[in-house]
Amino acid sequence: MMRMRGRWRARSKVERVEWQSRLMLRAVNWVYFVAWSGPTLVGSLRHDAVAVALGAALAAVNLAQCAVAHVHLRSALDQYLGRGTVPPVQTRVAAGLTVAALGLVAAVIATDSMRDNLIVLPLLFVPMPFACAYVLTVPVRTFLRRSALGVAAALVLFAAVGAGVGKLIGLAVVLGISVPLELLTARCSAWNLSVMWESEHAREVEARLAVAEERLRFGRDLHDVMGRNLSVVALKSELAVQLARRGRTEDAVAQMIEVQRIARDSQKEVREVVRGYREADLGAELAGAKGVLGAAGIACTVTGSAAGLPPEVQSALGWVVREATTNVLRHGDAKSCAVRLGAGQREVVLTVENDGATGTGARPGPDAAGRGSGLAGLRERLVAVDGTLEAGVVREGVFRVTASVPVTPSGEEVRGMPPGEFEVQEAHEVQEAYGAPGTGRAPEARPPSEPTEAPVTGVPPKAPRTSGTHPSSEAHAGPGVRAAHGGPRGGEGR
């Protein structure tokens, strides 16, 4: 039983509607037989051998019609939805049984085997098993034309066995009622189902187009950032090569220093583009989650505000809201969802809790969060901001996702390192790599009484930076470029 419930909840809403539609179409023939044809044949036949034999034969053919229609309808609906074709043998067998049933009805009319002219109810049922499937395989106009021909042929047959004018009119009305009844029973249901599938496919296409549009936007941003800078880098590096070949090493160094500055600026701009591409606004995600869940028929309540939270915390928790909302829509059968955001002095806690969860064996905790690429990705995002994620079934049918992120007050040291230490450490490493700590200019082999540094021609000297920001680009590249070209050291001692 639990397995069946799990399989049912694993289906999408459109898949559930299709399953119910198929069940209804298959069951309708059996319901009509039990409600119309069967009781009439049992209660209205005359008590003689011929009448009983004809009634039993007609009931047997009706049962065979229902059994064949059970398979015929499945194939016809698949063809209507574009998933296959109906095997011709199924259509031939169903049509043959319909003709046989009409022949037996004509025999009952000819022998007057039923009292009170109640043959109309079995006659109303006879074309339905075949027609409900056939109407799904041909256009409506074709079905109406062929149905009219079938009704005319049946009336000719009834007239040939001795049916009077009044009875023929009544039989014609009954057969005329069966045609729109078959259209309403089968064709309308299949059409509604096809519209739902088209809407589902349209949503999938819209999602793919949104992803493609976002990729194009990201590509445009990268092109805007890198295109101009790379062109300048190529131009200045070519100029530096020409200057070095002519012996103007100092000018070449100045150009390469500018190339290095542009490269570092480009790296910074690319990081900003990527950061903006990946960040999610928590306030927008909370409002979007409430709107999306409400549109899906899920009552959603949101408590708490994202105002005042640091951007990196909002980005990480925004992704949690987005992924949790997706899980509520795709998994389980939720009727309500509660999103709570609590911000304290040291920690921000986000909780997303919904009912209708499947499976009761999961337990909340980090292990549960590791299931699935979505929650695993959230854990990676939260680890970047020292956060944690717990997810699992907390009680029968209730699933909860809890994310907590510490909040560091402004001005406090982060992870034990004062502000600016990253930049200072990086500057020292670069300066040591080029052999000139402090200023970035190549050291000269001079007597102790002479200064060991001199300004590079054409490049104004800059005071060394000690903390807080990156050292100048000249400090990073000057001596290394000169050494690569083999040019003379810059200037003489002061």
Side-chain angles (χ1 to χ4, degrees):
M1 188 65 181
M2 293 298 297
R3 181 178 299 178
M4 293 179 61
R5 290 180 58 188
R7 292 176 60 184
W8 173 255
R9 290 181 174 179
R11 297 174 184 264
S12 66
K13 291 184 178 181
V14 180
E15 289 174 341
R16 296 179 187 180
V17 173
E18 179 176 346
W19 186 88
Q20 292 174 345
S21 299
R22 288 180 180 271
L23 179 63
M24 182 196 71
L25 290 175
R26 292 178 183 179
V28 69
N29 292 315
W30 297 96
V31 172
Y32 286 160
F33 173 75
V34 172
W36 294 350
S37 183
T40 304
L41 290 174
V42 172
S44 301
L45 284 173
R46 299 185 184 278
H47 299 290
D48 58 74
V50 175
V52 172
L54 290 174
L58 182 57
V61 172
N62 289 159
L63 290 174
Q65 284 182 284
C66 293
V68 172
H70 192 79
V71 180
H72 193 199
L73 273 169
R74 179 179 59 189
S75 302
L77 188 57
D78 286 339
Q79 178 173 323
Y80 186 83
L81 296 175
R83 302 173 185 172
T85 57
V86 178
V89 64
Q90 294 182 7
T91 304
R92 296 192 190 104
V93 171
L97 289 173
T98 303
V99 172
L102 287 173
L104 289 172
V105 170
V108 171
I109 294 174
T111 58
D112 196 20
S113 297
M114 294 192 70
R115 297 187 298 270
D116 302 327
N117 292 325
L118 292 179
I119 191 62
V120 294
L121 291 178
L123 178 61
L124 183 62
F125 170 77
V126 164
M128 292 196 66
F130 169 73
C132 284
Y134 187 67
V135 73
L136 301 179
T137 62
V138 296
V140 175
R141 292 183 179 180
T142 302
F143 175 77
L144 292 175
R145 287 196 301 267
R146 294 179 181 178
S147 298
L149 292 175
V151 170
L155 293 177
V156 170
L157 175 62
F158 297 152
V161 297
V165 176
K167 182 175 289 187
L168 286 175
I169 294 175
L171 295 176
V173 172
V174 171
L175 291 175
I177 293 174
S178 67
V179 175
L181 184 61
E182 292 146 5
L183 283 172
L184 293 174
T185 301
R187 187 82 180 198
C188 291
S189 298
W191 179 78
N192 290 332
L193 186 59
S194 68
V195 170
M196 294 186 66
W197 273 116
E198 289 176 0
S199 300
E200 184 75 8
H201 295 327
R203 282 193 291 269
E204 294 176 357
V205 171
E206 184 180 2
R208 289 196 295 268
L209 289 176
V211 172
E213 183 179 356
E214 186 65 13
R215 288 174 178 171
L216 289 174
R217 185 198 66 80
F218 186 58
R220 288 194 302 268
D221 290 346
L222 284 180
H223 178 270
D224 294 341
V225 168
M226 298 299 298
R228 174 182 58 83
N229 291 350
L230 288 177
S231 299
V232 176
V233 166
L235 180 63
K236 287 187 172 294
S237 59
E238 183 179 359
L239 177 60
V241 170
Q242 297 297 329
L243 292 173
R245 287 176 178 175
R246 298 176 182 179
R248 299 172 58 182
T249 311
E250 292 80 1
D251 294 338
V253 168
Q255 295 297 326
M256 292 308 300
I257 290 174
E258 184 68 13
V259 167
Q260 186 188 44
R261 183 191 64 78
I262 295 173
R264 287 188 172 274
D265 289 345
S266 300
Q267 185 181 30
K268 180 181 178 181
E269 291 175 358
V270 169
R271 287 175 178 172
E272 291 177 353
V273 169
V274 174
R275 186 181 300 112
Y277 176 74
R278 299 184 63 185
E279 284 183 353
D281 182 76
L282 180 55
E285 293 298 331
L286 290 173
K290 186 173 183 179
V292 169
L293 293 177
I298 301 173
C300 179
T301 58
V302 177
T303 57
S305 174
L309 295 179
E312 62 274 9
V313 174
Q314 290 202 37
S315 177
L317 294 181
W319 281 103
V320 174
V321 174
R322 183 180 299 180
E323 180 65 24
T325 303
T326 302
N327 289 339
V328 173
L329 292 172
R330 291 184 176 178
H331 308 296
D333 189 17
K335 298 296 185 296
S336 63
C337 178
V339 182
R340 296 184 292 272
L341 179 65
Q345 294 183 351
R346 294 284 180 174
E347 187 179 46
V348 179
V349 178
L350 173 70
T351 303
V352 182
E353 185 175 292
N354 64 277
D355 59 1
T358 59
T360 57
R363 294 181 179 179
D367 293 338
R371 298 187 181 94
S373 59
L375 294 178
L378 291 181
R379 293 188 68 191
E380 294 176 1
R381 293 179 184 275
L382 290 173
V383 166
V385 291
D386 292 336
T388 59
L389 179 71
E390 296 182 357
V393 178
V394 293
R395 56 183 181 273
E396 179 66 26
V398 177
F399 191 86
R400 179 186 297 166
V401 176
T402 303
S404 59
V405 178
V407 179
T408 303
S410 59
E412 185 178 337
E413 296 182 359
V414 180
R415 297 182 183 178
M417 186 171 288
E421 185 167 330
F422 288 113
E423 291 79 359
V424 174
Q425 181 178 355
E426 182 182 359
H428 290 169
E429 292 175 355
V430 174
Q431 292 164 2
E432 290 174 3
Y434 289 115
T439 65
R441 298 184 173 87
E444 298 281 354
R446 301 187 181 278
S449 59
E450 293 184 343
T452 59
E453 301 175 354
V456 179
T457 304
V459 181
K462 294 186 178 181
R465 303 188 183 187
T466 58
S467 65
T469 58
H470 285 286
S472 64
S473 300
E474 294 87 350
H476 287 175
V481 176
R482 287 194 294 270
H485 289 289
R489 308 284 183 180
E492 292 295 328
R494 288 171 289 186

